[in-house]
Amino acid sequence: MNWFYYLSPWILQTLIWVPTRLFFLFFGHLEIRGVENLDSLKKGVIFAVNHSSELDAIIVPASLPFLSRLMPMFYTSREKSFYQNCRWRQIFYGGFFFKLWGAHSVKVGLMNYQLSLSTHIEIINHGNSILFFPEGGTTKDGNLKKGKGGVAYLSHITGAPIVPIYIKGFFKLNTKEWFLRQRRISITFGKPILPEELFPKGKPVILDSSHDDFLDASQIVMAKIASLS
């Protein structure tokens, strides 16, 4: 991947850290828990997060310490064509602007984790952090959905630990509630999950991309996220 796309997220995310942090503290009464669970981690981490709002991707880097060694944050996203009928989002989402902020699309429909996540594997192998939404999309009813296998595969193939995160307070948040400061937002960082913890029966033999072991392992991650609620 071009060095420019490694550098630009660090610059942009560092520049907005202070105003973003203050924004969430003031309007959302932001409470950050469990950040001490990150103390022993080296670079190259997968953050697995429940997904109830577009603000999820913004609050996670703002909740890390300023100039954290785990920054910048890179993201998994949908391809640009997915946003073609999404009104104003089609201007910013999925293309050059997304890449500037560190979001790179997962290649969907390939039925092959290695190909679908090739860019994200490269990012982690370069010692960078990935923010991953195991559910594959935002919740419709506020409940956690079943996790897809990609997050477990990414951990297995790179050896990166997974930090489960639970964000509370964003679901169905409206503008009035936000600016009247009626919501209380919290983000909880759980203890890291090591790759070997995901496969209690031993390392999976990768025969194909739909191996049930990765789907089963992702449910372990989802259970850890749920426990933080």
Side-chain angles (χ1 to χ4, degrees):
M1 190 172 66
N2 191 307
W3 65 268
F4 175 75
Y5 290 120
Y6 280 111
L7 183 61
S8 60
W10 186 88
I11 294 173
L12 294 173
Q13 291 174 25
T14 299
L15 287 174
I16 70 164
W17 187 92
V18 171
T20 306
R21 180 77 164 244
L22 292 176
F23 179 75
F24 284 118
L25 284 170
F26 181 76
F27 289 106
H29 311 279
L30 176 62
E31 183 177 0
I32 303 170
R33 306 165 182 158
V35 72
E36 67 277 1
N37 290 321
L38 310 179
D39 290 345
S40 62
L41 292 176
K42 298 179 181 179
K43 293 183 177 181
V45 174
I46 302 166
F47 292 95
V49 192
N50 66 305
H51 201 11
S52 61
S53 167
E54 292 170 309
L55 293 173
D56 296 331
I58 301 173
I59 196 173
V60 176
S63 299
L64 294 177
F66 185 61
L67 295 178
S68 168
R69 68 188 179 285
L70 301 179
M71 293 287 284
M73 192 71 66
F74 290 82
Y75 305 90
T76 55
S77 74
R78 296 297 297 267
E79 67 283 359
K80 187 172 178 59
S81 59
F82 178 79
Y83 303 103
Q84 285 182 349
N85 298 316
C86 295
R87 299 179 182 177
W88 61 267
R89 291 175 178 81
Q90 64 183 296
I91 301 173
F92 301 105
Y93 285 23
F96 177 70
F97 180 80
F98 246 31
K99 286 186 178 181
L100 285 179
W101 286 92
H104 296 267
S105 61
V106 174
K107 302 176 182 69
V108 299
L110 300 180
M111 301 300 292
N112 186 304
Y113 291 132
Q114 180 73 36
L115 295 177
S116 297
L117 296 168
S118 57
T119 300
H120 304 89
I121 292 170
E122 179 185 347
I123 288 170
I124 292 177
N125 286 337
H126 277 81
N128 294 292
S129 301
I130 290 285
L131 184 66
F132 204 105
F133 299 110
E135 298 164 277
T138 55
T139 178
K140 303 300 182 184
D141 58 7
N143 296 314
L144 289 175
K145 298 190 292 184
K146 184 177 180 179
K148 298 181 182 297
V151 68
Y153 178 84
L154 196 59
S155 177
H156 170 68
I157 207 71
T158 63
I162 299 174
V163 175
I165 299 175
Y166 188 83
I167 300 172
K168 182 179 180 180
F170 281 150
F171 183 62
K172 290 190 175 179
L173 172 66
N174 60 52
T175 305
K176 179 181 177 181
E177 287 178 316
W178 185 248
F179 286 105
L180 291 180
R181 305 176 66 216
Q182 294 175 340
R183 284 290 186 105
R184 304 194 74 86
I185 309 301
S186 67
I187 178 170
T188 305
F189 295 88
K191 294 181 179 180
I193 308 167
L194 301 179
E196 52 266 29
E197 295 178 60
L198 297 175
F199 306 99
K201 297 179 182 179
K203 289 187 177 181
V205 177
I206 304 174
L207 300 176
D208 57 64
S209 66
S210 61
H211 201 291
D212 287 344
D213 283 348
F214 297 114
L215 292 173
D216 292 342
S218 290
Q219 307 325 308
I220 297 174
V221 177
M222 295 308 299
K224 294 286 187 180
I225 294 173
S227 70
L228 300 174
S229 65

